[in-house]
Amino acid sequence: MDQRVNDLFGKIRTSAENLVDRTEEAASRAADVAGRKASGVVESTKLNLKIFDLNSDMDQLYREIGKMLYDTHLGEQVDQEMVQEKLSQLDEKHEEIERLRAKLNGLKTVHKCPVCGKECKSDDAFCSECGSQL
């Protein structure tokens, strides 16, 4: 075979190997990013489900307290310790929801520009609205 053809095949082979290497690196980075995003979505979903469950529990407590209040209105004797216990449970559930919401906000991939208030991606160096450094 002609030496020029061999050189051309060598260059093609080298280019193809470089392309494969770059493609593997890009695919690996994409998989890492996708994995991190999926992990964040799963964590957000779990937190939202916990918040939903706590809200359901609170609705039940509100109904029970309302029933006790109505019973008092009707002149029935209501155990005040039971009312206080249910109110304490409500307070605990409110605190837990606030804690979960704070954790959920920490998972967000956006933050606000300190100058104009526009929401920007967490990996942005500058605001897309006003150009301020983030």
Side-chain angles (χ1 to χ4, degrees):
M1 229 190 276
D2 185 78
Q3 183 60 35
R4 288 183 296 176
V5 173
N6 282 336
D7 290 344
L8 180 62
F9 280 143
K11 288 179 183 179
I12 291 172
R13 183 180 308 115
T14 302
S15 293
E17 289 170 353
N18 288 339
L19 178 63
V20 167
D21 290 342
R22 288 192 311 260
T23 302
E24 286 175 351
E25 289 172 14
S28 176
R29 284 193 306 269
D32 288 343
V33 168
R36 284 193 301 271
K37 288 194 182 278
S39 174
V41 169
V42 168
E43 184 65 21
S44 293
T45 301
K46 285 180 182 179
L47 291 172
N48 280 319
L49 286 173
K50 286 179 184 177
I51 290 170
F52 178 82
D53 288 342
L54 287 168
N55 278 321
S56 296
D57 293 346
M58 288 172 52
D59 286 343
Q60 180 61 34
L61 287 168
Y62 286 133
R63 281 191 294 276
E64 291 171 7
I65 292 168
K67 170 94 171 74
M68 290 176 181
L69 179 63
Y70 187 71
D71 288 346
T72 301
H73 168 73
L74 294 177
E76 295 180 21
Q77 191 72 2
V78 175
D79 183 3
Q80 292 302 313
E81 288 182 24
M82 182 65 81
V83 172
Q84 286 303 317
E85 175 62 30
K86 295 199 181 293
L87 290 172
S88 294
Q89 289 175 9
L90 272 174
D91 290 340
E92 290 171 8
K93 292 187 186 303
H94 274 286
E95 290 171 7
E96 180 67 8
I97 286 174
E98 289 307 311
R99 188 186 67 74
L100 291 172
R101 284 191 177 140
K103 193 172 181 181
L104 193 58
N105 285 336
L107 293 175
K108 288 186 177 179
T109 59
V110 295
H111 58 271
K112 289 191 178 195
C113 172
V115 176
C116 70
K118 175 163 173 50
E119 286 191 353
C120 302
K121 294 179 183 174
S122 61
D123 57 350
D124 286 348
F126 297 93
C127 176
S128 61
E129 184 71 23
C130 69
S132 297
Q133 188 171 358
L134 301 172

